């Protein structure tokens, strides 16, 4: 059994999120809880259940909303390349999405995500640079908005990474520092601000994650 606890801290609020996962043969059973589940006594608020078969399917059930989300994964061979496909259906919102990705080599990967009905489509190219693949460039084109998003990630020895993002449509610039540790869990600090606003006040978020074997 594995448990994960994540804390999220903002200037005006904080929250806690926890998950418990149990392996049952080829399946993984998981329960997720938010602080709203316990803040006013035990309740169904923020409670979610899921069943996963890695590489095949995930079924998520949002208990308070009584909403079911199905996700099915598969892969096919096209011109000697493996194309990974994911089909997602959220029943309550009636949202259907199809995602596909193909890696041409260890350094180059292209992915496409399309939302049926809305026409939202994004095409992302991922390039990892260097022998150790520590620099990652991710330009993404949003077809429906006719705009680009950019992300650059630099990984360092020891588990630290620095990531910068920019969304052209909203003019949001974000910076994120992340530290991964097998002993102390992970810690992330992110900040973002809108370049279009006259008063550029950064939004700062800190997150801590701890993993436990039970």
């Amino acid at each position: 059994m594995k448990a994960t606890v994540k804390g999220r801290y903002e200037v005006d609020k904080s929250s806690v999120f926890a998950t418990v996962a149990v392996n049952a043969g080829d399946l993984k059973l998981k329960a997720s809880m938010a602080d709203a589940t316990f803040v006013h006594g035990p309740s169904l608020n923020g409670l979610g259940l899921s069943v996963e078969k890695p590489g095949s399917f995930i079924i998520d059930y949002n208990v308070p909303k009584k909403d079911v989300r199905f996700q099915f994964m598969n892969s096919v061979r096209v011109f000697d390349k493996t194309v990974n496909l994911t089909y997602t259906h959220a029943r309550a919102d009636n949202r259907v999405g199809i995602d596909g990705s193909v890696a041409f080599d260890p350094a180059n990967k292209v992915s496409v995500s399309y939302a049926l009905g809305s026409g939202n489509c994004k095409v992302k190219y991922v390039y990892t640079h260097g022998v150790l693949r520590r620099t990652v460039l991710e330009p993404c084109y949003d077809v429906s908005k006719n705009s680009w998003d950019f992300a650059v990630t630099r990984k360092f020895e020891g588990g630290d990474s620095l990531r910068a993002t920019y969304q052209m449509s909203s003019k949001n610039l974000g910076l994120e520092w992340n530290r991964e540790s097998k002993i102390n869990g992970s810690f992330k600090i992110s900040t973002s601000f809108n370049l279009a606003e006259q008063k550029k006040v950064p939004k700062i978020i800190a997150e801590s994650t701890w993993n436990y074997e039970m």
Side-chain angles (χ1 to χ4, degrees):
M1 181 182 297
K2 180 180 291 186
T4 301
V5 179
K6 177 181 289 188
R8 180 183 175 97
Y9 316 95
E10 301 181 44
V11 175
D12 55 346
K13 63 179 180 179
S14 61
S15 59
V16 178
F17 186 82
T19 62
V20 178
V22 179
N23 291 325
D26 294 337
L27 300 178
K28 179 181 290 185
L29 310 178
K30 185 170 67 175
S32 59
M33 295 151 283
D35 48 6
T37 311
F38 305 99
V39 66
H40 297 300
S43 68
L44 299 179
N45 294 328
L47 179 62
L49 305 173
S50 71
V51 179
E52 176 185 358
K53 184 176 181 180
S56 295
F57 66 83
I58 302 174
I59 301 175
D60 294 319
Y61 180 62
N62 188 313
V63 177
K65 294 182 179 180
K66 298 181 180 180
D67 183 20
V68 180
R69 187 179 73 104
F70 302 92
Q71 189 174 83
F72 300 95
M73 295 82 78
N74 203 348
S75 60
V76 295
R77 295 287 294 180
V78 179
F79 298 114
D80 294 328
K81 298 295 181 183
T82 300
V83 179
N84 297 309
L85 300 172
T86 302
Y87 170 86
T88 305
H89 181 201
R91 191 187 66 176
D93 297 333
N94 195 26
R95 290 185 290 106
V96 177
I98 298 177
D99 299 274
S101 64
V102 57
F104 297 99
D105 53 51
N108 297 275
K109 178 180 177 180
V110 174
S111 62
V112 179
S113 61
Y114 180 73
L116 275 67
S118 66
N120 293 334
C121 180
K122 291 185 177 181
V123 181
K124 183 168 70 172
Y125 169 64
V126 180
Y127 170 69
T128 55
H129 178 72
V131 178
L132 299 178
R133 312 293 184 196
R134 288 182 176 173
T135 301
V136 183
L137 306 176
E138 300 175 78
C140 178
Y141 178 64
D142 192 322
V143 177
S144 59
K145 296 180 181 180
N146 189 27
S147 66
W148 288 86
D149 297 336
F150 299 94
V152 179
T153 304
R154 175 62 180 176
K155 301 177 182 178
F156 302 94
E157 187 176 357
D160 288 15
S161 65
L162 186 63
R163 180 179 175 87
T165 60
Y166 178 67
Q167 299 174 332
M168 290 186 64
S169 59
S170 59
K171 291 183 171 53
N172 278 330
L173 177 65
L175 296 173
E176 176 185 301
W177 171 69
N178 187 66
R179 165 165 287 184
E180 297 285 348
S181 172
K182 294 181 179 179
I183 300 176
N184 300 319
S186 62
F187 183 75
K188 180 172 68 175
I189 297 178
S190 59
T191 181
S192 62
F193 51 91
N194 194 312
L195 298 179
E197 297 178 352
Q198 291 185 350
K199 188 177 180 180
K200 300 177 177 60
V201 179
K203 180 180 180 181
I204 301 175
I205 300 174
E207 293 181 1
S208 297
T209 303
W210 299 272
N211 297 314
Y212 305 94
E213 292 287 347
M214 303 172 63

